[in-house]
């Protein structure tokens, strides 16, 4: 495959560069702009978004763990927040190039880490890639979340999930409760339109909680803060539900 230019987004180019995911989804136009606004604010916190000049989903996002919107304790680590190589671009070494760019930027850190899952899950990085890169499992959280890390030296601290994020339960004990951020362009539409309509159709009470800042996200009830659904206080999924997928995940007793 021909070489592609690697682009790093910043405040100067973010309005003219696409951010890969959802740029062809008209329903998510507002969420797409919200993600750009969110990114622009996070750049000041050391957040990095790198992509190839491809009209497709080939990008990586990472941030110093202290500034990550994730409930973890990982001093002086770099967290890989989102990592996506899709479709025909898979298997061409582009993922490894993005990873190497992250590794280079993290050279002054104590290591890298990523939140993944015991089994393959939608909207989450697969652990297989990171295992091949020498990452190790260092913590788990219910029902299937895993924290994988790659320390750069033997004295590096072992990262962990915060206790609040380990049990898979939230503070709302009845009905549907969804938490989301603008770290993904899909969340606004699938939370406030698709999920609301599906819940209304089934007469299920719903509460929507937008995690508006780093502090709220760092004290969330599960490790996946971009989007998480709870039913009667128990975590259900981080997949963004549609009318078609709703009944697969939300089992309403007659």
């Amino acid at each position: 495959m021909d070489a592609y230019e690697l682009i790093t987004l910043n405040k100067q180019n973010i309005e003219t560069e696409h951010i890969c995911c959802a740029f062809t989804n008209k329903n998510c136009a507002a969420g797409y702009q919200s993600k750009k606004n969110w990114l622009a604010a996070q750049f000041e916190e050391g957040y990095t978004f790198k992509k190839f000049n491809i009209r497709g989903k080939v990008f990586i996002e990472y941030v110093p763990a202290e500034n990550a919107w994730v409930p973890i304790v990982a001093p002086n680590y770099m967290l890989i927040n989102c990592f996506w190589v899709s479709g025909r671009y898979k298997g061409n070494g582009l993922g490894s190039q993005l990873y190497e760019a992250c590794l280079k930027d993290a050279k002054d850190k104590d290591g890298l880490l990523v939140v993944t899952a015991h089994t393959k899950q939608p909207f989450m990085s697969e652990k297989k890639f990171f295992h091949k890169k020498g990452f190790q499992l260092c913590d788990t959280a219910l029902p299937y979340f895993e924290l994988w890390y790659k320390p750069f030296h033997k004295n590096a601290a072992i990262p962990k999930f915060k206790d609040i994020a380990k049990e898979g339960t939230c503070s709302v004990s009845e009905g549907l409760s969804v938490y989301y951020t603008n770290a993904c362009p899909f969340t606004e539409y699938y939370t406030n339109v698709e999920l609301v309509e599906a819940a209304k159709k089934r007469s299920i009470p719903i509460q929507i909680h937008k995690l508006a800042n780093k502090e709220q996200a760092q004290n969330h009830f599960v490790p996946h803060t971009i989007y998480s659904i709870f039913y009667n206080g128990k975590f259900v999924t981080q997949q963004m539900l549609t009318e078609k997928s709703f009944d697969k995940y939300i089992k309403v007793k007659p």
Side-chain angles (χ1 to χ4, degrees):
M1 176 173 284
D2 295 334
Y4 292 110
E5 179 189 2
L6 186 60
I7 299 171
T8 301
L9 295 190
N10 54 49
K11 284 190 174 183
Q12 286 68 48
N13 66 13
I14 191 168
E15 287 305 320
T16 55
E17 292 286 347
H18 72 75
I19 53 171
C20 304
C21 43
F23 57 81
T24 59
N25 190 325
K26 294 181 179 179
N27 288 330
C28 297
Y32 185 77
Q33 186 58 48
S34 294
K35 168 69 183 272
K36 282 195 169 187
N37 295 341
W38 184 88
L39 279 172
Q42 298 313 304
F43 290 152
E44 297 178 2
E45 300 269 66
Y47 202 92
T48 299
F49 186 118
K50 289 182 182 290
K51 64 165 189 166
F52 284 105
N53 62 333
I54 294 169
R55 193 71 173 171
K57 303 176 183 69
V58 187
F59 66 96
I60 189 169
E61 302 175 38
Y62 49 91
V63 61
E66 293 86 351
N67 294 329
W69 287 40
V70 181
I72 53 174
V73 179
N76 205 37
Y77 275 80
M78 187 77 82
L79 174 77
I80 298 174
N81 195 48
C82 194
F83 189 17
W84 201 349
V85 178
S86 67
R88 65 189 180 93
Y89 299 108
K90 288 183 176 180
N92 294 303
L94 296 179
S96 289
Q97 291 181 53
L98 290 170
Y99 170 77
E100 289 297 328
C102 172
L103 193 64
K104 182 179 179 180
D105 283 350
K107 64 180 183 298
D108 294 329
K109 300 293 184 182
D110 287 343
L112 295 175
L113 73 159
V114 64
V115 177
T116 183
H118 177 63
T119 55
K120 185 177 179 180
Q121 294 291 329
F123 295 95
M124 294 190 71
S125 297
E126 291 186 57
K127 63 182 179 181
K128 178 171 61 176
F129 176 89
F130 299 102
H131 185 260
K132 289 181 179 179
K133 296 297 184 182
F135 282 61
Q136 308 168 51
L137 177 66
C138 57
D139 204 1
T140 61
L142 293 175
Y144 47 64
F145 295 106
E146 295 185 346
L147 189 62
W148 286 69
Y149 82 126
K150 182 174 183 175
F152 295 160
H153 55 81
K154 64 180 181 180
N155 295 322
I158 299 176
K160 62 180 181 179
F161 291 127
K162 287 187 175 181
D163 290 342
I164 193 174
K166 288 198 168 190
E167 299 304 316
T169 58
C170 74
S171 59
V172 181
S173 60
E174 295 183 6
L176 205 61
S177 186
V178 57
Y179 299 79
Y180 78 100
T181 76
N182 285 132
C184 175
F186 295 106
T187 54
E188 287 287 352
Y189 175 76
Y190 284 97
T191 300
N192 295 297
V193 178
E194 287 275 349
L195 190 63
V196 168
E197 290 180 356
K200 182 178 180 181
K201 182 178 179 180
R202 293 160 178 80
S203 299
I204 301 174
I206 181 171
Q207 293 188 31
I208 296 174
H209 309 268
K210 188 172 185 176
L211 303 177
N213 54 55
K214 175 178 67 179
E215 289 72 27
Q216 289 177 359
Q218 289 180 350
N219 290 285
H220 187 43
F221 302 110
V222 290
H224 197 277
T225 63
I226 293 174
Y227 182 92
S228 54
I229 294 178
F230 297 77
Y231 185 56
N232 292 339
K234 186 175 181 180
F235 174 75
V236 176
T237 184
Q238 77 290 330
Q239 179 169 337
M240 294 176 210
L241 300 186
T242 64
E243 176 66 31
K244 290 183 178 180
S245 62
F246 188 94
D247 294 326
K248 175 183 176 181
Y249 289 91
I250 309 298
K251 307 297 184 182
V252 181
K253 295 182 180 180

